[in-house]
Amino acid sequence: MCKPDMKPNSADKQKPVPRASQIRLPQRLMSFSSLAFHCVILFVAVRSSLDVLGAYVSIGGLNPAAICGLLAFGAGILYLVLTFVRRELQSSEDRLVNFALLWMLLILVWVAVPLCREGRDGMWAVREWVRLATLATVFCVLFKASQDGHNKKILCYLTFAMVIPALFGIYQFFMHAGIEIKGVHRIYGSFAHPNPYSFHLAAMVMLCWYWAAHGRMPWLGYAGAAIHILLLLAAESFTGLVMLAGGVGVYGFFVLMENRDPESVRKAVLLGGILAAAFAGMAVYVLWDRIVYEFRPEEIAAAFETEQMKGSLSWRLVAWYKFLQAAWQHPLLGYGLDASAHLGPWPMPDGTPAEPHNDYVRMIFETGFIGTLMTGSLIVFIAIRLFKKCKNMCSLNEKRLAQTAFAVVVMAFLGAVNDNVWIATAYLTEVAALVAVALGQRDSGVEMPQ
């Protein structure tokens, strides 16, 4: 039997009447806190639209995305400090926020590693720490704000984040204004590359599906999901399609496990099978040439001997091998944050170090086994908390939100196997916001229909 989250009733406790000076201080804190909170959610809303401006606008060597990230980081820290001061007299901080902030401080060790080894040339680690700290701060701020009842406001701002990238993608599709990669036209929306755009699209399909089930105008949610699926096909990202398939599978599993009516289960399985078959057919039709080109065992085997790759799959396999081989030289602490983009052992055709295209390999290479264990523990802890929310929430609306967020987390796990999800900042900002809202929401206590 699930129980709603209940706050202790303090009405029965006798408290002294505060003086006027004691009242004004919390009011001032609240006004600054509200301003900082709105800066953070505005950053969540616009972050997915900023990458496209980087090629045209630069202020002091910083692109708009970096400037907005720094502002959001400062606003988030201000919000957390003011929240801590305000709640010193009310309640203790949640463990999840403490763990996230502790992780943010501990990874400074992997800022010091390249600075000690490379000197001033290792300053890239400082920039990477600021990026990761911004993501952690956004998560903590929105988690606390969700606990205070700002769920719908955060979700509305997060929903706005899909509008401009979708409009860019539609324009690129109809005007053939995307980019040509190996002779294939791919759209990239307002992102820098089709792959991170596909991560965003897959996550937004899940959010649209949630709005379709629980919004006031379901047709908008269904239309949004359909548009984003078509844009995902036009982006021609195998990783994005796999991520979406995994997310839909996880969400469908939760729904089926809760439905106790056999007839409804049979209908859901039939409808899901038809949709899955139709989606798989479209995906194979769109990506058939790439599938045939990439999955050739003889070429993959030859790539390890000659290091001459024609396909992205063989290139990835050799790159993973090279990165793991290099990681054994510094197995405990690795090479430092963002070292793969600067010290990576596998070069691009132009001679610059290549990204590993596998975030698990990246984590081992950059932070060693100690950092991988630490970061992995935080992520698993968040996933477990989210899974418990999926099982224990009473309200159907809040339960589905938690399940949607858990499905998006699973999608990120899948994408990290084959691509650079860890450095897709706009996408990770959206994931952090969605997970924070799902974890921070209070259960209304309304029982789910059986």
Side-chain angles (χ1 to χ4, degrees):
M1 180 68 179
C2 56
K3 296 181 181 180
D5 294 339
M6 300 293 292
K7 292 184 178 181
N9 185 8
S10 59
D12 298 331
K13 298 181 180 179
Q14 294 183 353
K15 293 183 179 180
V17 178
R19 295 192 298 259
S21 60
Q22 293 176 322
I23 296 176
R24 282 196 296 269
L25 179 58
Q27 289 176 343
R28 292 170 183 170
L29 291 180
M30 285 294 292
S31 62
F32 282 113
S33 180
S34 177
L35 178 62
F37 163 66
H38 282 87
C39 287
V40 172
I41 58 172
L42 182 61
F43 171 71
V44 172
V46 304
R47 180 60 185 85
S48 60
S49 309
L50 296 177
D51 287 343
V52 71
L53 299 176
Y56 307 102
V57 180
S58 178
I59 302 175
L62 297 175
N63 57 40
I67 294 172
C68 291
L70 288 172
L71 292 175
F73 178 53
I77 293 297
L78 175 63
Y79 177 90
L80 293 174
V81 170
L82 294 179
T83 300
F84 177 77
V85 171
R86 190 176 75 247
R87 294 189 176 181
E88 269 292 309
L89 304 176
Q90 297 177 12
S91 63
S92 59
E93 296 292 321
D94 189 271
R95 285 190 306 166
L96 186 56
V97 172
N98 291 339
F99 287 164
L101 294 176
L102 178 62
W103 173 83
M104 187 174 76
L105 295 176
L106 288 177
I107 60 173
L108 284 170
V109 171
W110 288 274
V111 175
V113 168
L115 288 176
C116 293
R117 293 175 183 168
E118 306 293 329
R120 295 181 61 183
D121 293 336
M123 285 296 293
W124 70 74
V126 178
R127 293 190 293 270
E128 177 68 1
W129 180 84
V130 172
R131 186 184 75 89
L132 295 176
T134 301
L135 291 172
T137 303
V138 167
F139 172 81
C140 293
V141 168
L142 299 187
F143 176 83
K144 302 301 292 184
S146 181
Q147 287 186 320
D148 292 337
H150 295 295
N151 305 25
K152 290 186 177 180
K153 178 180 289 188
I154 299 171
L155 287 175
C156 288
Y157 275 79
L158 180 58
T159 303
F160 178 80
M162 72 175 69
V163 176
I164 295 179
L167 292 176
F168 269 87
I170 293 170
Y171 170 81
Q172 291 164 2
F173 177 76
F174 285 104
M175 302 303 295
H176 206 73
I179 58 176
E180 295 281 342
I181 300 178
K182 296 180 180 179
V184 178
H185 178 261
R186 302 174 64 184
I187 64 172
Y188 58 94
S190 55
F191 287 66
H193 191 273
N195 287 0
Y197 184 47
S198 71
F199 310 157
H200 159 84
L201 292 172
M204 292 301 105
V205 169
M206 301 305 299
L207 184 59
C208 286
W209 195 265
Y210 167 79
W211 281 124
H214 301 285
R216 294 182 179 179
M217 293 181 287
W219 63 271
L220 276 179
Y222 289 121
I227 291 172
H228 281 77
I229 289 175
L230 294 175
L231 291 175
L232 179 58
L233 292 172
E236 297 217 19
S237 169
F238 180 77
T239 304
L241 291 169
V242 171
M243 290 170 65
L244 179 58
V248 171
V250 170
Y251 188 83
F253 172 79
F254 280 122
V255 174
L256 288 176
M257 289 301 100
E258 292 164 3
N259 200 322
R260 301 176 184 178
D261 180 15
E263 183 64 23
S264 298
V265 170
R266 283 194 294 270
K267 290 181 180 179
V269 170
L270 178 61
L271 179 60
I274 293 174
L275 291 175
F279 181 72
M282 288 189 296
V284 171
Y285 175 77
V286 172
L287 296 175
W288 180 250
D289 291 338
R290 292 188 64 194
I291 292 173
V292 172
Y293 181 81
E294 296 289 351
F295 290 89
R296 290 184 287 185
E298 66 280 0
E299 192 169 289
I300 294 173
F304 282 90
E305 298 179 2
T306 63
E307 296 188 359
Q308 298 295 322
M309 285 75 63
K310 296 182 180 180
S312 63
L313 178 60
S314 57
W315 184 93
R316 278 171 165 80
L317 292 174
V318 175
W320 301 347
Y321 173 76
K322 294 288 186 181
F323 271 93
L324 290 175
Q325 194 177 45
W328 281 108
Q329 298 179 18
H330 300 285
L332 295 181
L333 295 178
Y335 291 81
L337 296 181
D338 202 31
S340 56
H342 301 272
L343 302 177
W346 190 236
M348 295 287 283
D350 60 0
T352 59
E355 301 283 356
H357 288 71
N358 183 310
D359 289 323
Y360 305 103
V361 172
R362 175 197 304 276
M363 201 171 293
I364 294 173
F365 178 80
E366 294 185 357
T367 63
F369 290 105
I370 295 177
T372 301
L373 179 62
M374 186 182 71
T375 302
S377 299
L378 175 64
I379 295 174
V380 169
F381 176 72
I382 291 174
I384 291 174
R385 285 279 297 266
L386 196 53
F387 184 75
K388 289 181 178 179
K389 283 275 187 179
C390 295
K391 292 180 60 179
N392 300 332
M393 298 294 281
C394 297
S395 167
L396 180 61
N397 186 15
E398 291 146 2
K399 194 181 191 77
R400 290 287 183 261
L401 179 59
Q403 292 168 351
T404 301
F406 186 80
V408 170
V409 170
V410 172
M411 291 162 60
F413 286 157
L414 291 173
V417 174
N418 191 53
D419 220 315
N420 300 308
V421 173
W422 190 251
I423 61 174
T425 309
Y427 165 72
L428 289 182
T429 301
E430 296 162 351
V431 173
L434 182 59
V435 173
V437 174
L439 284 173
Q441 63 181 340
R442 302 284 186 182
D443 199 335
S444 63
V446 179
E447 289 283 356
M448 292 179 56
Q450 302 297 333

